[in-house]
């Protein structure tokens, strides 16, 4: 009897953890800077219950996420999927980074050249000064 | 020359920022546009013994408006809907969302009832299927039962004039 209860509560705890892990990946739509796990807004509670009911029924994490995306769109995902409309979102920062590095390299090379020229001129001037 | 390039990049960033700030972050594009209206069968608010389903309206263009007596923005929107229901031929149905029956009926009595009827979604389960997250929300559903338009937030007089009426006319001809 006691064993059955503790097994049930262990299952319960495992389910709770799955619900919270999944809820942390999903955005609360009413309070946009919180996840479903953090928020206590009415809708967030409803959706957490929904996640729980579906997982308890044997649905996979993937199926629950698909359920949410079908209703609320990619926006519920904190990690948006890679597709044409999110291309800029995923790669924009890297494009900017590479552009920045290119500009930096050019500047450094230009400066290097100028330094060398300057030292050449200085050398000649130094030679001249020595001859005098 | 170099300064011009720097200024151009800077201005481009400013323009992007300005465009970004004008977007309403609450307006999340609905994935339901172009999809069949999710199925429901709910008790009617005014007659608990009767049920109402989206299937009852197959072959008609209709509007589903999600509302609740606890929703402040619904009160702002309400006169627009009352006006709309008087003038437009398109039937307007309500989805009463996570409300108590008494509060909802009292609210309609006080502010007027623009709906042919309201479905009573006590636990908000059908609201989830419709991706409701900020009441009021309004759906336009075509003759084939497909969601063609969704408005999140209050319907305004301008929206009715500039968007809803032209869309409804177009859908009626389909």
């Amino acid at each position: 009897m006691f064993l059955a209860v503790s097994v049930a509560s262990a299952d319960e705890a495992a389910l709770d953890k799955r619900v919270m892990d999944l809820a942390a990946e999903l955005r609360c739509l009413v309070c946009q800077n919180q996840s479903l796990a953090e928020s206590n807004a009415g809708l967030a509670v409803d959706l957490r219950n929904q996640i729980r009911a579906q997982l308890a029924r044997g649905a996979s994490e993937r199926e629950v996420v698909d359920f949410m995306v079908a209703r609320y769109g990619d926006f519920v995902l904190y990690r948006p999927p890679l597709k044409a409309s999110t291309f800029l979102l995923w790669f924009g920062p890297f494009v900017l980074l590479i552009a920045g590095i290119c500009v930096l390299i050019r500047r450094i090379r230009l400066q290097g050249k100028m330094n060398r020229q300057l030292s050449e001129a200085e050398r000649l001037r130094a030679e001249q000064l020595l001859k005098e | 020359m170099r300064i011009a390039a720097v200024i151009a990049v800077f201005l481009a960033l400013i323009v992007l920022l300005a465009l970004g700030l004008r977007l309403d972050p609450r307006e999340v594009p609905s994935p339901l546009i172009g999809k069949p209206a999710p199925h429901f069968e709910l008790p009617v608010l005014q007659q608990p013994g009767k049920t109402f389903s989206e299937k009852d309206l197959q072959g008609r263009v209709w509007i589903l408006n999600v509302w609740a007596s606890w929703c402040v923005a619904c009160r702002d929107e309400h006169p627009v809907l009352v006006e709309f229901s008087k003038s437009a031929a398109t039937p307007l149905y309500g989805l009463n969302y996570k409300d108590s029956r008494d509060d909802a009926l009292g609210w309609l009595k006080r502010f007027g009832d623009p709906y042919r009827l309201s479905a009573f979604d006590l636990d908000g389960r059908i609201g989830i299927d419709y991706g409701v997250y900020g009441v009021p929300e309004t759906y336009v559903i075509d003759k084939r039962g497909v969601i063609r338009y969704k408005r999140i937030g209050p319907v305004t007089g301008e929206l009715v004039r500039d968007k809803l009426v032209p869309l409804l006319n177009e859908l009626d001809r389909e």
Side-chain angles (χ1 to χ4, degrees), chain A residues 67-119:
Chain A
F67 173 92
M68 294 297 170
V69 171
R71 284 157 182 76
Y72 298 101
D74 290 336
F75 189 75
V76 292
L77 303 175
Y78 269 120
R79 284 188 268 180
L82 186 55
K83 54 188 195 185
S85 60
T86 59
F87 215 73
L88 198 62
L89 178 70
W90 276 96
F91 295 110
F94 296 107
V95 171
L96 281 179
L97 181 69
I98 289 168
I101 289 174
C102 287
V103 168
L104 196 67
I105 288 173
R106 263 188 54 186
R107 290 208 69 146
I108 289 171
R109 276 199 185 151
L110 221 63
Q111 235 165 33
K113 238 184 241 169
M114 273 164 71
N115 278 345
R116 234 172 291 136
Q117 276 170 357
L118 206 71
S119 67

